[in-house]
Amino acid sequence: MSAHLDYVVGLADDALVAAQRTGWWISRAPQLEEDVALANIGLDQLGQARGLLAHAATIEGAGRTEDDLAYLRDEREFRNVWLVERQQSDFGVAMARLLVLSAWQAELYAALVHSTDPVLAAVAGKAVKEVAYHLDHAGHWVLRLGDGTEDSHRRMQAALDAEWPYVEELFTPVDPALVASGVAVDPVGLRAGVLHTIESVVRQATLTVPDVTPARGGGRHGLHTEELGYLLAEMQHLHRSHPGATW
């Protein structure tokens, strides 16, 4: 896999897996209106994944489609970060994760609109508006829960503590030549802006920025938690059971 292909697949897999996890909340959110909001956020992520996977298929040039890349790859071929793949059956965890992910994607896509890869720039140009809404939505919930009751504050802090070990993997370096050519954004350079955005929300919510050891990570290199396997089994089941089937 070339560095260019690996980079695009990584971003696509972040969005695809996040979409699958977000979709789990449909019919389970605490409010009907939140069901709709999370469904829209999941669809935004899915749209980003489709654009990126279609581009990855073109770069690869092996005749595979975006569906092939989404549904017919095994766990070790996925390049998403660990942040997005773990279960999130607690609503506070879902909002903490969305805050982190959207703060990172906001900085990433704002920079990628200047990519020398015109397709990446186009996908980023559309996505940057979407993730601004995701960030605003997550921020409101973190503020509401963190600065709410004693119980909601405790649970929101616990959710933030649970997600924080997975923040650092977002800044895994990419191929320097890809950055030098203007195709990719240096993830390390995004750290200050991302953390500033998150920590501003955390402070307003009367929460504390966790002081925890980063998780080992390895998603960018195809190393994943056990939970990704269960997610892929569910996500890929229909396509693998009925090859070639269409609606």
Side-chain angles (χ1 to χ4, degrees), residues 1-13:
M1 186 181 289
S2 71
H4 190 182
L5 177 58
D6 202 48
Y7 182 68
V8 175
V9 168
L11 301 185
D13 289 345

Side-chain angles (χ1 to χ4, degrees), residues 21 75 82 85-86 166 223-230:
R21 283 289 183 226
E75 181 182 331
W82 284 16
E85 70 187 40
R86 294 164 304 105
Y166 304 95
L223 303 175
H224 295 284
T225 65
E226 182 182 9
E227 292 169 279
L228 181 64
Y230 291 106

Side-chain angles (χ1 to χ4, degrees), residues 75-76 81-83 85-86 164-170 172 212-226:
E75 181 182 331
R76 291 296 297 269
V81 291
W82 284 16
L83 175 75
E85 70 187 40
R86 294 164 304 105
W164 205 257
Y166 304 95
V167 171
E168 191 59 29
E169 190 183 11
L170 293 168
T172 302
V212 294
T213 303
R216 177 171 57 87
R220 295 293 191 224
H221 305 292
L223 303 175
H224 295 284
T225 65
E226 182 182 9

Side-chain angles (χ1 to χ4, degrees), residues 71-72 232-246:
Y71 297 127
L72 298 178
L232 294 181
E234 182 179 50
M235 187 180 80
Q236 298 178 334
H237 169 71
L238 189 63
H239 190 87
R240 286 180 181 269
S241 299
H242 304 279
T246 58

Side-chain angles (χ1 to χ4, degrees), residues 102-229:
S102 56
W104 175 72
Q105 287 183 325
E107 292 284 335
L108 170 73
Y109 287 135
L112 269 183
V113 297
H114 304 295
S115 172
T116 53
D117 178 334
V119 179
L120 266 182
V123 171
K126 182 174 184 295
V128 73
K129 301 168 188 170
E130 297 169 346
V131 298
Y133 164 71
H134 304 172
L135 179 59
D136 182 67
H137 188 82
H140 275 94
W141 271 110
V142 172
L143 284 170
R144 183 176 175 181
L145 295 174
D147 197 22
T149 66
E150 183 178 340
D151 186 48
S152 72
H153 176 90
R154 177 186 58 77
R155 292 181 62 177
M156 193 63 240
Q157 183 65 57
L160 193 62
D161 292 348
E163 295 307 287
W164 205 257
Y166 304 95
V167 171
E168 191 59 29
E169 190 183 11
L170 293 168
F171 309 118
T172 302
V174 301
D175 188 315
L178 213 56
V179 176
S181 67
V183 169
V185 173
D186 180 6
V188 178
L190 303 177
R191 180 189 278 111
V194 172
L195 294 182
H196 174 77
T197 299
I198 299 171
E199 290 172 5
S200 174
V201 175
V202 169
R203 282 194 296 272
Q204 289 180 64
T206 70
L207 298 167
T208 303
V209 176
D211 181 14
V212 294
T213 303
R216 177 171 57 87
R220 295 293 191 224
H221 305 292
L223 303 175
H224 295 284
T225 65
E226 182 182 9
E227 292 169 279
L228 181 64

